[in-house]
Amino acid sequence: MDTKIFESQVKKTGFVLENEVAQSLKANGWTVISNKYYVDDFEDSVREIDLIAYQVKKVQPFDLYTVLVISCKKSESNVWGLLARDANIKDPNTDWWPLHAWSNDKAIDFQLREPGIAKNFHERAAVAGVKEVVAQPQVEVFAFQEMDKKSGAPQNDKPIFSAITSLMKAQAYELGALPLRKKAPSVYQFNLISVVDTELIRLMFKDGEISGSVVPSEHYLARYIIKKKETFSRIRFIQSKEFRGALADYERLHKASAAWFESQYSAFYRDIVKDYRRIKVLAEDFKKEITWHINLYTKHQLEIDVNVKSFWFNWTEKENILKIEIDASEDIVEFINNHATIRQRTKAALESIYKYHGPFSFAVNDIPF
């Protein structure tokens, strides 16, 4: 059988583009997963995302994964028209700097929930040399259409809409699956990319006029309801011929992310014993390390069932010492402060859990209620 016709016809599909993108990623040191399937939680159907690629780097106690979720589309007869207007960066109803990241490290998880953290991530990455990936969108893309290359006639938005929803739902699925799948200390940062084997045409609406221009890439801020929660995601449309060159910027992002997450990890532990909010994040870990030893030795040596369950940290500026307050009498507290094993265990727990290496003593909790 002559296979020439099959070789020719398969080039009309998007699989050639998908393979080219995958090979470019592998050649630049990315690990690639092709055609990953997941269950759409809204439609209860199986969906597919073309490519997931990642690079990993050891940072502090966790592994940092920079992840690219990629959709590949090809159109021989249509261009992708992106309808745009001036971007209002001050719009309070729009999140121009979405950051989709997940971590099972308690310090990083706390930092990721802090106000303004996503914008800080983008700003610091830009300072570190990341260019287009974190660039402020030049325009607001408010609609899109496939348009005939010869006549310019609008067709529909189905292929573009399909690429967008596939990317966002794949990201939502991965973020939801990580807590169950990943046990080793990890951080994941996601980026959504739509690689297009056709021209991208920006149609700019301004002052009652519409002007068109060919662009190599464009940022689209997608707003979507996933699991009854409004979500913003930045999706980057890239012409296929520009993709290989764009990879260098994503590699810069990976390096910048490593430095940024390391700084956030350090920031969490800096002066932590002076901040009740951060103390509370690790309180259960500290309790598990210390409670058993205090209860054991007080019962064994004093024959008193103290059963210490809670600790309150109180940093005293005047004495420059950490007071660990417990519900117990002064006699019990004195015994604990003078018990070598308890103090050794406490010192080790403070160092390993809170990264605190300074002086400490136990004290009576004097809160009246």
Side-chain angles (χ1 to χ4, degrees), residues 87-102:
N88 179 13
I89 301 300
K90 296 182 180 180
D91 181 2
N93 299 309
T94 302
D95 181 4
W96 291 99
W97 298 276
L99 171 61
H100 290 277
W102 172 89

Side-chain angles (χ1 to χ4, degrees), residues 23 39 49 63-65 73 78 87 97-98 105 136 139 161 171 174 196 211 252 265 276 285 305 356:
Q23 295 307 319
V39 177
I49 191 67
D63 291 321
L64 168 68
Y65 295 82
K73 297 288 185 184
N78 298 318
W97 298 276
D105 180 89
Q136 179 176 297
V139 298
F161 183 74
Q171 176 179 257
E174 293 296 332
V196 188
S211 59
R252 286 191 289 269
Y265 184 83
Y276 173 73
D285 296 336
D305 191 1
Y356 176 74

Side-chain angles (χ1 to χ4, degrees), residues 299-338:
K299 187 171 184 177
H300 178 70
Q301 296 184 23
L302 299 181
E303 298 184 349
I304 298 175
D305 191 1
V306 176
N307 195 23
V308 174
K309 294 182 179 180
S310 299
F311 302 87
W312 294 266
F313 283 16
N314 182 16
W315 175 259
T316 58
E317 293 287 351
K318 186 176 180 179
E319 299 178 50
N320 199 36
I321 189 173
L322 175 64
K323 297 290 185 68
I324 306 173
E325 298 180 353
I326 61 175
D327 281 328
S329 67
E330 291 186 0
D331 290 342
I332 297 297
V333 169
E334 183 180 1
F335 168 79
I336 294 172
N337 274 325
N338 291 314

